Amino acid sequence: MRQSTLFAQTYREAPAEADAISHRLLLRAGFVRSLAAGIYAFLPLGQRVLRKAENIVREEMDRTGAQELLMPAMQPAELWEQSGRLGAYGPELIRLKDRHERDFVLGPTHEEVVTALFRDEVGSYRKLPVTLYQIQTKFRDERRPRFGLLRGREFVMKDAYSFDEDWEGLDRSYRAMYEAYRRIFDRCGLTYRAVEADAGSIGGEGGTHEFMALADIGEDTIVSCASCDYAANLEKAEAAAPIAHDLAADIPEPQRFATPNIRTIDELVSALGLPASRFAKTMIYVADDQPVAVVVRGDREVNELKVKNALGAETIGIADADTVLRVTGAPSGFAGPVGLSVPVLVDLEAAVEDGWIVGANQADYHVRNVVPGRDYRPACVGDYRIAAEGDGCPRCGAGGLRFSRGIEVGHVFKLGTKYSESLNATFADRDGNEKTAIMGCYGIGVSRLLSAIAEQHHDGDGLAWPMSVAPFRAHIVPVSANDAVQMALAERLYGEIRAAGIDALIDDRDERPGVKFKDADLIGIPIRIVVGKQAAEGLVEFKHRSRTDQETVNAGDVCDKVKEAIREAEQACRT
Amino acid sequence: MRQSTLFAQTYREAPAEADAISHRLLLRAGFVRSLAAGIYAFLPLGQRVLRKAENIVREEMDRTGAQELLMPAMQPAELWEQSGRLGAYGPELIRLKDRHERDFVLGPTHEEVVTALFRDEVGSYRKLPVTLYQIQTKFRDERRPRFGLLRGREFVMKDAYSFDEDWEGLDRSYRAMYEAYRRIFDRCGLTYRAVEADAGSIGGEGGTHEFMALADIGEDTIVSCASCDYAANLEKAEAAAPIAHDLAADIPEPQRFATPNIRTIDELVSALGLPASRFAKTMIYVADDQPVAVVVRGDREVNELKVKNALGAETIGIADADTVLRVTGAPSGFAGPVGLSVPVLVDLEAAVEDGWIVGANQADYHVRNVVPGRDYRPACVGDYRIAAEGDGCPRCGAGGLRFSRGIEVGHVFKLGTKYSESLNATFADRDGNEKTAIMGCYGIGVSRLLSAIAEQHHDGDGLAWPMSVAPFRAHIVPVSANDAVQMALAERLYGEIRAAGIDALIDDRDERPGVKFKDADLIGIPIRIVVGKQAAEGLVEFKHRSRTDQETVNAGDVCDKVKEAIREAEQACRT
């Protein structure tokens, strides 16, 4: 394609509201434009990257035997009532009425629709397993759209859904998707981790992994082990049990002492001159309307999700001041585990039979020498805290856990029967018995991929696309549009490269060389062929966008060099 | 792909509400499913056809140099306010509010968005001409969705928009799209006519053509000449001027006569025993709040659109009884052109200086011997009637015009400056002057294509897809899944055909032969290879879906025969 006619303008500066490097570069280089908060148009350069990413996704989905379909964005609200999500989803769900006042939603995902299709289409185990997928536009009215394509309100997603006879089948379907996802993200040139994750609001039982592209802008914290391949997102990350150590043989009786107006661990640390790890912090929560107490070490934080899962609760939240007063008999800041009538959940670390300093359940008092088991009886002991950087690895025991930031680009999820039960998606098994299909769901944020790739593949001068998703693979830049020799050679190379089936952009604009090179760096096409003064001798400069060196080559060798660079790039991302 | 796992069920009967043969067959054969009125899911078979049609459209768009982009479905309502369409579009436009109560519409088309993008991206004539297109999901809340994909509420459309410096440029862009459309519909195997059409509600000036796939179910009437290539839709079709003939030399004075309670042409014909063509019918309309009278021959109908265009009016409608009384002094049924104070538009046929029978503008009276020009003065004489079957051709004069029914599958339209003016899309011309871009817009109903093709390509047994858009090109049908020799040969052929890069479906189901053949006919894959009893001798049956004959061929020749059939089909649609 000819750059003179390319529908895209480059900018030296990004708009002030662009809040991520990927977003700034995609705007500046003319890949996307914002129409409203979180709503984007893909200009030709961006659309080319999007289509290449889509094709990688499609190829890998097809390779697993998944079948592509296309479901509508407008979904009858009745389906969402049946699944129970209509009320639960909140204001992110875009709702509308048609001209006959019938209720619809714009699909943020398609569990309901695909399950209804399955119910009507598949009656027998002989049609199982089946995995269906689509690449389609989704709508989610984010409260705070940001980071460009990373958190938008209208976006392109690949969503897949598997249906199996039993849980073993689901394990196989899940594994096939997991492996396909690895190939997809490898081919897209992403550095990522597949992390264990929590079910979240989508519901369901069983395993789930998030695929996280590593990037500082990432909204999620990834916990990983330096020694083994353990990786999880922060809320899911297991905290290792404390290392056994010798306890004080005789711990004296608990002893109450005055702590006037000293409520927080920080205040206790200052006042008493002891490390935070000597204190046990007692937090009052309300889980499904029932108050519970949770005890963690003073230097730790409660992981509400772990508590919620341990209790099998639907909802959890920190108790208000009134509830704390009612449960502990004291204002907030003086709660302790001794003598409470509500269940007390104690984190593994805080359950060590040592003498802890805890709240006295009385205003302005704490107690020292409180031994779990001796002085109060935990309802459960378990992992209830947020993992901390440097913790021991819960898998291999060795190594300190590291924290990093990630962008969620994919998610595989064992749904189980959440939707197949509520929407009555059953089939006859080989004995003729009616069984409920076991489902999995699998998402990839296709438009989000562009931002994730841009976060990882850029430098100070602009974007530097991996070969597999680059808008064009070769960029031919004649230095002077007024030099007939240069232009003739550039056009010849452009013709040869395209004749070899390789997409190329030629900068045929009458612009200063500085402008051309700056734009080329900004747009980030992987192979650049500069046709300059040496054109008369049949020589051009050959350069990789992501390398600093460049090479003078014979024009006659250019096409082969381009092919070789493409081959190398393909091999690199398959290893 | 293996039919045993294909996510699609076939039905012997279509649901009662299926109201077109294409709709019934697409449902029965498992290509689409309805989620709500006018809202469909494309199952894998349908999705495959949709993607092949999309690819044909994309290839031909790219060939013209048009650039693909992707615009959002959610469009800020402000843009529609600026263009003036927000109020004008009516209840077909789906409107919604986001969580911050901002107004959006779901795009039925993208003139506003693309014009805003152009305005921000292109500043100079040097970037012109440019044509942008997308293949995208559109929303239109049809009052009465019907005929399956033909009139849906969510559908896939290719929409393109050209921007030119001047009208001559637009003519070239328009012509390039027109020719691309011909190639697209040819490649899709459609029989169609490109007809002259009216601008309709989208607005604008200049030419417009509709591409009509011929089909009885079509909602539009196409008028075409048997002798030349004149074709137009009914509302646009010109009515030829009447052939000159000798008039009665002396027509007596007008003479009023009693016609008690005789109001309609039919009643007059019965009462007076004269043909309808002897009467002139006077209709009172209200155009932009002003009453006008329109006179046509008694056997003709007024074409409101022609009247509206002749008056340059925004709106037109038949006058109510009160207005008729006020304008004519008589109740409806007795209006005539003589003595009216409102403008009288007279159709060419009714302007012939003959003695006409007309209403007397007095209850229960008509007048005979009324000569236009002598007895009343027309404000304008012109073509104000609906063309009739058998009319002379307005182009070549010869031949009677024929009527047929068509499905609108494409539309090319000279928009002019309607949107570029209201949205301020200007550029600097080569003299540095600010000019308004001249636009064209070009649509293809991509999902609708499936129905149009199915309407034209089926028989009593099912669908019969053209090779170019068939879900698979070859269908391998082993007669008995329990016959090891048959299955082995079928699998071998399946492997060979796929290895040749040809998509194939193998019916590996354990079903009776009758069921398999019925399903094969219903689904309509163009090439069928039946592996039956002669498999032991290495022989199979080779059949084209759309032909009745079949041929016994050596298994070793099958792959070549398939390739040959594909080549033939490609050549046929390129001629």
Side-chain angles (χ1 to χ4, degrees), chain A residues 1 75 116 153 164 295 299 303 366 457 474 479 486 496 500 523:
Chain A
M1 139 135 244
Q75 305 181 4
R153 301 199 283 174
D164 275 280
V295 182
D299 57 340
N303 183 324
H366 280 75
H457 295 271
V479 173
Q486 286 181 25
E496 279 176 16
I523 294 171

Side-chain angles (χ1 to χ4, degrees), chain B residues 62-96:
Chain B
D62 289 346
R63 198 203 283 206
T64 66
Q67 297 179 49
E68 186 174 1
L69 40 60
L70 181 64
M71 293 178 274
M74 274 182 73
Q75 305 182 4
E78 298 98 274
L79 281 176
W80 283 65
E81 253 163 36
Q82 284 175 47
S83 75
R85 282 211 294 180
L86 190 62
Y89 210 94
E92 283 185 9
L93 185 66
I94 297 179
R95 296 147 207 257
L96 57 91

Side-chain angles (χ1 to χ4, degrees), chain A residues 1-11 30 33 35-37 39-45 47-48 50-51 54-55 58 62 65 67-76 79 91-92 94-100 102 104 106 113-114 116-118 120-123 126-127 129-130 132 136-137 139 141-145 153-154 156 163 509-511, chain B residues 1-11 30 33 35-37 39-45 47-48 50-51 54-55 58 62 65 67-76 79 91-92 94-100 102 104 106 113-114 116-118 120-123 126-127 129-130 132 136-137 139 141-145 153-154 156 163 509-511:
Chain A
M1 139 135 244
R2 296 178 180 280
Q3 211 164 336
S4 59
T5 61
L6 179 66
F7 187 74
Q9 179 150 283
T10 57
Y11 295 107
R33 292 292 179 250
L35 247 336
I39 296 176
Y40 291 87
F42 291 81
L43 300 193
L45 287 173
Q47 167 66 3
R48 292 182 73 94
L50 189 63
R51 293 208 61 234
E54 275 180 20
N55 282 338
R58 180 172 284 125
D62 289 346
Q67 297 179 49
E68 186 174 3
L69 40 61
L70 181 63
M71 293 178 275
M74 274 183 73
Q75 305 181 4
L79 282 175
E92 284 186 9
I94 298 180
R95 296 148 207 255
L96 57 90
K97 282 182 191 295
D98 74 1
R99 64 197 294 162
H100 306 296
R102 287 193 205 95
F104 286 86
L106 290 182
V113 174
V114 80
L117 283 175
F118 175 91
D120 297 340
E121 219 62 31
V122 173
R126 281 181 298 178
K127 286 278 191 180
V130 64
L132 303 167
Q136 195 248 13
T137 299
F139 300 86
D141 199 358
E142 293 281 350
R143 192 171 59 81
R144 212 185 130 206
R153 301 199 283 174
E154 176 173 346
V156 179
F163 297 86
R509 298 175 302 163
D510 183 12
E511 292 281 4
Chain B
M1 140 134 242
R2 295 179 180 281
Q3 210 163 339
S4 60
T5 62
L6 179 66
F7 187 73
Q9 178 150 282
T10 55
Y11 295 107
R33 292 292 179 253
L35 247 335
I39 296 175
Y40 290 87
F42 291 81
L43 300 194
L45 287 173
Q47 169 65 3
R48 293 181 73 94
L50 189 62
R51 293 209 61 234
E54 275 180 22
N55 283 338
R58 181 172 284 124
D62 289 346
Q67 297 179 49
E68 186 174 1
L69 40 60
L70 181 64
M71 293 178 274
M74 274 182 73
Q75 305 182 4
L79 281 176
E92 283 185 9
I94 297 179
R95 296 147 207 257
L96 57 91
K97 281 180 190 296
D98 74 0
R99 64 198 291 162
H100 306 297
R102 286 192 205 95
F104 285 85
L106 291 183
V113 174
V114 80
L117 285 175
F118 175 91
D120 298 341
E121 219 61 32
V122 174
R126 280 181 299 177
K127 286 277 192 182
V130 64
L132 302 167
Q136 196 247 14
T137 299
F139 300 86
D141 199 358
E142 293 281 351
R143 193 171 59 82
R144 211 184 131 208
R153 301 198 284 174
E154 176 174 345
V156 180
F163 297 86
R509 298 175 302 163
D510 183 11
E511 292 281 4

Side-chain angles (χ1 to χ4, degrees), chain B residues 344-406:
Chain B
V344 180
L345 279 67
V346 186
D347 181 66
L348 286 162
E349 281 181 337
V352 167
E353 290 175 8
D354 208 339
W356 298 89
I357 301 169
V358 302
N361 294 326
Q362 181 181 356
D364 297 336
Y365 280 91
H366 280 75
V367 191
R368 60 168 64 88
N369 300 331
V370 170
V371 180
R374 183 189 79 177
D375 299 320
Y376 71 96
R377 184 153 303 279
C380 325
V381 172
D383 171 15
Y384 304 127
R385 71 173 172 96
I386 294 176
E389 203 153 14
D391 273 1
C393 171
R395 281 286 179 284
C396 72
L401 289 183
R402 294 176 312 184
F403 280 22
S404 41
R405 307 290 291 174

Side-chain angles (χ1 to χ4, degrees), chain A residues 405-550:
Chain A
R405 308 291 290 175
I407 296 165
E408 185 190 333
V409 287
H411 197 165
V412 291
F413 197 98
K414 291 185 184 172
L415 274 178
T417 58
K418 176 174 164 62
Y419 294 93
S420 45
E421 234 167 56
S422 56
L423 290 157
N424 206 23
T426 60
F427 62 93
D429 73 4
R430 51 201 84 218
D431 303 319
N433 299 320
E434 191 173 327
K435 283 181 72 173
T436 303
I438 312 292
M439 291 174 61
C441 71
Y442 316 92
I444 289 182
V446 182
S447 43
R448 179 182 282 189
L449 274 179
L450 266 68
S451 290
I453 295 169
E455 282 291 329
Q456 293 188 357
H457 295 271
H458 69 268
D459 60 21
D461 297 321
L463 296 158
W465 294 101
M467 193 70 79
S468 55
V469 295
F472 296 91
R473 287 177 287 181
H475 198 174
I476 299 156
V477 185
V479 173
S480 167
N482 300 317
D483 184 314
V485 175
Q486 286 181 25
M487 284 307 293
L489 181 55
E491 290 284 352
R492 200 188 87 202
L493 294 174
Y494 177 59
E496 279 176 16
I497 290 168
R498 280 163 36 105
I502 297 159
D503 48 353
L505 182 68
I506 182 169
D507 191 349
D508 57 340
R509 298 175 302 163
D510 183 12
E511 292 281 4
R512 283 176 293 111
V515 170
K516 289 186 169 192
F517 292 138
K518 268 197 156 45
D519 280 347
D521 280 342
L522 186 57
I523 294 171
I525 295 169
I527 301 168
R528 187 179 317 161
I529 298 137
V530 178
V531 184
K533 291 221 173 80
Q534 287 180 289
E537 299 138 59
L539 296 174
V540 303
E541 298 294 326
F542 190 97
K543 187 181 178 307
H544 293 268
R545 168 67 183 85
S546 52
R547 301 214 297 251
T548 49
D549 58 308
Q550 60 179 38

Side-chain angles (χ1 to χ4, degrees), chain A residues 106-245:
Chain A
L106 290 182
T109 64
H110 279 70
E111 282 81 3
E112 285 82 359
V113 174
V114 80
T115 307
L117 283 175
F118 175 91
R119 175 189 63 201
D120 297 340
E121 219 62 31
V122 173
S124 155
Y125 74 96
R126 281 181 298 178
K127 286 278 191 180
L128 297 183
V130 64
T131 297
L132 303 167
Y133 80 96
Q134 64 175 349
I135 298 174
Q136 195 248 13
T137 299
K138 298 278 186 287
F139 300 86
R140 203 170 292 172
D141 199 358
E142 293 281 350
R143 192 171 59 81
R144 212 185 130 206
R146 56 182 171 156
F147 301 148
L149 307 177
L150 284 182
R151 193 159 289 282
R153 301 199 283 174
E154 176 173 346
F155 50 96
V156 179
M157 198 168 142
K158 186 284 301 176
D159 45 331
Y161 307 89
S162 66
F163 297 86
D164 275 280
E165 283 188 71
D166 48 33
W167 285 89
E168 292 70 41
L170 172 57
D171 286 343
R172 283 188 296 272
S173 298
Y174 185 89
R175 181 51 56 179
M177 280 291 134
Y178 184 97
E179 295 302 334
Y181 276 36
R182 295 199 72 102
R183 290 194 298 271
I184 288 165
F185 300 127
D186 285 342
R187 288 179 64 184
C188 288
L190 282 174
T191 304
Y192 65 93
R193 299 296 295 259
V195 305
E196 294 176 11
D198 188 78
S201 66
I202 201 168
E205 0 165 353
T208 169
H209 284 85
E210 288 169 359
F211 288 80
M212 291 287 187
L214 301 184
D216 292 340
I217 195 76
E219 298 183 82
D220 296 283
T221 299
I222 303 165
V223 179
S224 60
C225 174
S227 306
C228 74
D229 68 352
Y230 178 75
N233 71 19
L234 182 57
E235 65 177 8
K236 170 76 178 178
E238 296 167 38
I243 295 150
H245 61 102

Side-chain angles (χ1 to χ4, degrees), chain A residues 271-428:
Chain A
L272 277 67
L274 291 168
S277 57
R278 287 291 311 280
F279 301 86
K281 183 159 66 175
T282 304
M283 309 288 292
I284 310 299
Y285 283 89
V286 176
D288 290 353
D289 300 330
Q290 295 298 320
V292 296
V294 184
V295 182
V296 296
R297 225 167 65 178
D299 57 340
R300 304 304 195 190
E301 298 301 328
V302 174
N303 183 324
E304 294 184 8
L305 187 78
K306 290 178 179 174
V307 175
K308 175 166 164 275
N309 289 344
L311 295 167
E314 290 281 317
T315 61
I316 192 165
I318 192 89
D320 58 23
D322 288 351
T323 307
V324 172
L325 187 62
R326 185 159 49 80
V327 168
T328 68
S332 296
F334 302 97
V338 180
L340 291 183
S341 59
V342 301
V344 180
L345 279 67
V346 185
D347 181 66
L348 286 161
E349 281 182 336
V352 169
E353 289 174 8
D354 209 339
W356 297 89
I357 302 169
V358 302
N361 294 327
Q362 181 181 352
D364 298 337
Y365 280 92
H366 280 75
V367 191
R368 60 168 65 88
N369 300 331
V370 170
V371 180
R374 184 189 78 177
D375 300 319
Y376 71 95
R377 185 151 304 278
C380 324
V381 172
D383 171 15
Y384 305 127
R385 72 174 171 96
I386 294 175
E389 201 152 16
D391 272 1
C393 172
R395 281 285 179 286
C396 71
L401 290 183
R402 295 177 310 186
F403 280 22
S404 42
R405 308 291 290 175
I407 296 165
E408 185 190 333
V409 287
H411 197 165
V412 291
F413 197 98
K414 291 185 184 172
L415 274 178
T417 58
K418 176 174 164 62
Y419 294 93
S420 45
E421 234 167 56
S422 56
L423 290 157
N424 206 23
T426 60
F427 62 93

